[in-house]
Amino acid sequence: MNAEVLKQAASRLRAASRVLVTSHVRPDGDAVASVLALGLALKADGKQVQMVLTDGAPADFKHLHGWAEIVRAAEAPVDLVVTVDAATQDRCGESLSGFPPVDINIDHHISNTNFGAINLVDPAAVATCALLAEHFPALGLEFSPAVIDALLTGILTDTMGFRTSNMTPKAIRLSADLIEKGADLPALYERALLRRSFQAMRYWGAGLTSLQRDGGLVWGSLTLADRKAVGYPGNDDAELVNNISMIEGAAITVLFVEQADNQVKVSWRSQGGHDVSRIAAQFGGGGHVAAAGAVLHGSLAHAHEVVLAATRAALQ
Ligand SMILES: [Mn+2]
């Protein structure tokens, strides 16, 4: 990270008195935690801070201090706009509409478009929270217990508990520093990555029962009826796909999640190098080599037919 850019960011943060901090739509742990870490540190510094997530803060992170202070829309006026963990300005949804251009863009996505006046972007960082943890002192910000818990949570969620292929010794060292400062690793790990609602576990049960296998291809489905039967409130897969992708010998795993509006959300995961983003692209979706998704119109049966055919072809 360029020291001059850090200095510029620090001086803008120091001079500001009304700050808007926001992140991307459908926020993950790193998005929520980096909004909280930066927002709470600026608040502790005596600034008026609005922490904004267009889609709200997911209940999975309500144990983090400041969670209830996150709002869905900001109110004018603000004199500094900061985005965290957002690769593009569009990813922030409505949270920035009507506000001045982005002053500081803090992110770790390789696809970041450097849309801010000042861009603190480091694709080598495993999480935006890792980048913040590293540069907090240079930005003139103080670690508090709430900030430390948020930062470790963002690192844990983006690395799925230190196990993604982009993990680095540096990320472990930054985490160790946070633990030394008082972060409770086992508790934060459990809350962020392991704890599930009763409904989510029963929903998984329905998905697990549906699993089928054909050689290296494994697939399963979650239906509207499954959600109704167990009372699961979301329209997602409760992260089931990341678990079934661990099945031994499954080169590609596909999970179908039926939606209310005659649509089907499809997620692919691969082990061993099959590029599932290319399969997803055939259906208007996208993603990465090992994880991709798309939304198809039509019935679940139709999605099964076309997606499994395309996935079998890709496996050949
Ligand atoms: Mn992130």
Side-chain angles (χ1 to χ4, degrees):
M1 180 74 57
N2 184 317
E4 193 48 47
V5 179
L6 277 169
K7 250 190 192 167
Q8 286 170 13
S11 96
R12 289 302 304 274
L13 290 171
R14 200 180 318 116
S17 53
R18 291 180 300 251
V19 189
L20 189 169
V21 181
T22 191
S23 186
H24 57 80
V25 293
R26 293 187 296 280
D28 56 10
D30 193 30
V32 175
S34 48
V35 163
L36 286 174
L38 183 62
L40 294 175
L42 291 169
K43 262 191 178 178
D45 212 13
K47 299 177 193 306
Q48 203 186 95
V49 180
Q50 299 186 74
M51 299 185 286
V52 189
L53 292 169
T54 293
D55 291 335
D60 297 357
F61 303 103
K62 66 178 179 216
H63 59 287
L64 292 177
H65 187 86
W67 176 87
E69 295 170 42
I70 295 175
V71 295
R72 288 172 183 263
E75 284 171 18
V78 299
D79 55 28
L80 191 77
V81 177
V82 186
T83 62
V84 286
D85 201 46
T88 66
Q89 186 160 338
D90 286 351
R91 285 278 290 149
C92 295
E94 290 299 301
S95 64
L96 295 172
S97 74
F99 289 95
V102 175
D103 296 291
I104 308 177
N105 156 28
I106 304 175
D107 186 35
H108 71 124
H109 291 95
I110 193 154
S111 51
N112 192 288
T113 55
N114 290 315
F115 55 87
I118 298 170
N119 301 288
L120 299 181
V121 178
D122 180 3
V126 296
T128 297
C129 278
L131 192 161
L132 285 171
E134 183 180 0
H135 299 297
F136 236 51
L139 292 171
L141 300 167
E142 301 244 354
F143 293 103
S144 65
V147 164
I148 287 159
D149 283 358
L151 290 174
L152 188 57
T153 295
I155 295 173
L156 283 169
T157 52
D158 260 20
T159 65
M160 298 168 78
F162 304 131
R163 66 186 176 85
T164 49
S165 59
N166 65 342
M167 261 311 285
T168 57
K170 182 176 174 178
I172 300 269
R173 286 190 191 101
L174 289 166
S175 302
D177 289 343
L178 295 168
I179 294 164
E180 231 162 40
K181 288 179 168 71
D184 185 344
L185 174 66
L188 293 170
Y189 194 113
E190 188 195 316
R191 292 303 298 251
L193 295 164
L194 302 177
R195 194 172 292 202
R196 300 280 181 246
S197 70
F198 181 68
Q199 289 82 358
M201 282 291 190
R202 293 189 67 214
Y203 185 45
W204 278 17
L208 291 170
T209 306
S210 80
L211 288 181
Q212 296 184 67
R213 176 176 206 160
D214 175 11
L217 174 62
V218 169
W219 72 95
S221 305
L222 289 163
T223 66
L224 289 166
D226 293 334
R227 291 206 279 291
K228 201 170 167 202
V230 302
Y232 182 74
N235 59 3
D236 53 44
D237 69 337
E239 295 173 64
L240 177 63
V241 70
N242 291 327
N243 291 278
I244 63 175
S245 69
M246 296 297 144
I247 292 169
E248 185 151 35
I252 299 183
T253 310
V254 191
L255 185 63
F256 299 86
V257 185
E258 188 183 23
Q259 303 295 309
D261 43 4
N262 198 37
Q263 296 191 339
V264 180
K265 277 193 203 170
V266 183
S267 300
W268 288 263
R269 294 293 183 272
S270 78
Q271 302 181 56
H274 292 282
D275 184 356
V276 288
S277 73
R278 292 173 62 174
I279 312 172
Q282 293 175 41
F283 300 100
H288 310 277
V289 171
V295 177
L296 274 74
H297 289 272
S299 67
L300 186 58
H302 170 258
H304 281 157
E305 190 183 323
V306 293
V307 166
L308 293 176
T311 307
R312 279 197 181 92
L315 265 170
Q316 241 114 72

